[in-house]
Amino acid sequence: MGKNKLKKFADLEQNPLVLQYPFGPLSAEPFALRGRWGADFFGNDLPIVLELGCGKGEYTVGMARADASRNFIGIDIKGARIWTGATAALRAGMTNVAFRTSIELLERFFAPGEVAEIWITFPDPQMKKASKRLTGTRMMGVYSHVMAPGGRIHLKTDSPFLYAYTRLMALRNGLDVGLNIPDVHGSDEGPEYLRDIRTHYEQQWLDRGLTIKYLSFTVPATDALLAEPPEAAELEPDTYRSYSRGYIQM
């Protein structure tokens, strides 16, 4: 492991906006902030918004700056990634933002109804395994256990496959689809930060001439019987990869 990465891990250990918690103790006792994020961490009762797969935290920090009426928590599996956003938020003295590592075990960290919204920004589309998609029916079931009834999930993606799949999944399961924007930067719909905040990956895709898509829909009811859309089997896969591995089919 490089010295720079080791320094980032050391910084995160000292950053009060970052909560890293080992999985082991969760099997014996609940997470101390579960059900009490507002009162004990943020010191208010404002709605809580999660960003899953937050990467460097650009979106988490950007939304927190743009909207002081909500608390934002960025979550990513790799701690070194969140260093950029967590450090920026700490230096700016922000009080409505936090970071956690690992998307797994959401139900151990958040109580039923504690989360108002979830943002999923530029996730791996997982074209071969629906069970691993952050907008797949398995994860929808997880979200339903921590989100308030009627809470909204927001997807922002470069992937035509994931965008189409998610819309089919939402319609198949009777989830209310709100804004549906096939080209975010070619539209004036939605909040300004939908266009103004650009993550590292978003700028990469824009530089390659790809359009950015956005979809919002309601969380399913807790314990709803969700079904995968059969039409998804006919979707064309994406024809590009990251800069070093692929191409764009024009």
Side-chain angles (χ1 to χ4, degrees):
M1 185 180 295
K3 290 183 179 180
N4 188 47
K5 184 171 288 188
L6 287 173
K7 183 181 183 303
K8 288 182 177 181
F9 282 128
D11 288 347
L12 292 175
E13 289 290 341
Q14 302 300 317
N15 190 325
L17 302 182
V18 179
L19 294 97
Q20 302 185 83
Y21 198 78
F23 289 163
L26 290 176
S27 61
E29 59 185 26
F31 182 57
L33 290 175
R34 185 177 186 268
R36 301 195 56 82
W37 280 90
D40 292 353
F41 185 84
F42 293 109
N44 57 53
D45 60 357
L46 299 177
I48 291 175
V49 180
L50 306 184
E51 185 196 0
L52 304 184
C54 70
K56 295 183 178 182
E58 303 104 311
Y59 230 85
T60 299
V61 173
M63 289 191 296
R65 283 175 172 154
D67 187 355
S69 68
R70 286 172 164 75
N71 298 317
F72 296 86
I73 303 175
I75 302 176
D76 198 276
I77 193 170
K78 292 190 176 181
R81 289 177 182 167
I82 66 177
W83 179 88
T84 300
T87 300
L90 180 64
R91 290 174 177 171
M94 300 178 71
T95 59
N96 66 330
V97 63
F99 289 90
R100 259 206 49 72
T101 54
S102 181
I103 293 172
E104 297 299 324
L105 303 179
L106 281 183
E107 295 172 72
R108 301 288 185 94
F109 290 99
F110 299 96
E114 192 169 18
V115 176
E117 298 179 26
I118 287 179
W119 280 76
I120 303 170
T121 51
F122 303 97
D124 185 329
Q126 296 288 350
M127 289 180 284
K128 294 182 179 180
K129 291 188 177 181
S131 63
K132 289 189 175 183
R133 289 173 202 150
L134 291 185
T135 60
T137 54
R138 183 182 75 84
M139 292 304 296
M140 289 299 119
V142 173
Y143 306 152
S144 72
H145 283 88
V146 300
M147 293 185 71
R152 287 213 162 257
I153 298 172
H154 307 264
L155 171 68
K156 192 175 181 184
T157 181
D158 59 285
S159 168
F161 173 89
L162 186 63
Y163 171 67
Y165 163 82
T166 304
R167 183 174 180 275
L168 289 173
M169 183 282 301
L171 295 175
R172 176 70 175 81
N173 291 286
L175 308 181
D176 176 54
V177 175
L179 278 179
N180 178 10
I181 309 175
D183 182 1
V184 166
H185 296 285
S187 169
D188 59 3
E189 291 186 273
E192 290 185 5
Y193 60 73
L194 194 60
R195 290 169 291 280
D196 293 344
I197 305 171
R198 298 187 182 186
T199 71
H200 168 78
Y201 285 108
E202 180 170 4
Q203 191 59 56
Q204 179 184 128
W205 305 132
L206 287 171
D207 289 346
R208 296 176 65 175
L210 300 175
T211 57
I212 306 302
K213 302 128 189 14
Y214 168 84
L215 188 71
S216 73
F217 51 96
T218 54
V219 65
T222 304
D223 296 325
L225 295 176
L226 302 178
E228 287 291 326
E231 306 94 326
E234 305 301 321
L235 291 176
E236 291 291 328
D238 297 334
T239 58
Y240 61 93
R241 295 287 191 273
S242 63
Y243 277 123
S244 60
R245 291 190 294 138
Y247 64 95
I248 304 175
Q249 179 175 316
M250 304 301 291

